[in-house]
Amino acid sequence: MTNIDIIDRAAMVLSAGLMLLGIVGMGIVEILAGQPYSPVPMTDEAGEVVATPLISPQIRTGVVLAGVAVLGVYAAYKIVVPVPEDGRSGHETVAD
């Protein structure tokens, strides 16, 4: 059985929150804002910009990548910090 401490919970909440905000939250805001759904500015035949997305794709990508970076830092933390020894681990018992 694994023990989840405060750092584990913080990493899970922060990374999941950032990724959900960047993917789902900002996606819903874009849908509610109306057309266009394109991640790039839309132009007409003359090349004039007629519509742009409400939230820049670079911002959305940055928020999602920040969530992934939190998971990377958490993984590095778990590699560096040793697992505390339990009184039951490493103890051999003789079976009857």
Side-chain angles (χ1 to χ4, degrees):
M1 191 168 244
T2 60
N3 294 331
I4 298 177
D5 61 359
I6 190 73
I7 294 175
D8 297 333
R9 288 190 193 278
M12 287 187 281
V13 167
L14 184 60
S15 65
L18 285 171
M19 287 189 279
L20 283 173
L21 175 67
I23 297 169
V24 178
M26 291 184 188
I28 290 172
V29 169
E30 285 289 334
I31 290 172
L32 293 176
Q35 300 266 340
Y37 299 123
S38 173
V40 295
M42 296 173 64
T43 58
D44 59 6
E45 292 80 22
E48 184 178 328
V49 175
V50 292
T52 58
L54 180 66
I55 300 172
S56 171
Q58 290 84 5
I59 293 173
R60 290 183 70 179
T61 304
V63 171
V64 173
L65 288 178
V68 173
V70 168
L71 286 178
V73 169
Y74 173 67
Y77 164 78
K78 290 304 268 187
I79 290 171
V80 171
V81 174
V83 177
E85 285 296 322
D86 198 13
R88 293 171 288 177
S89 64
H91 181 69
E92 296 181 20
T93 58
V94 178
D96 291 334

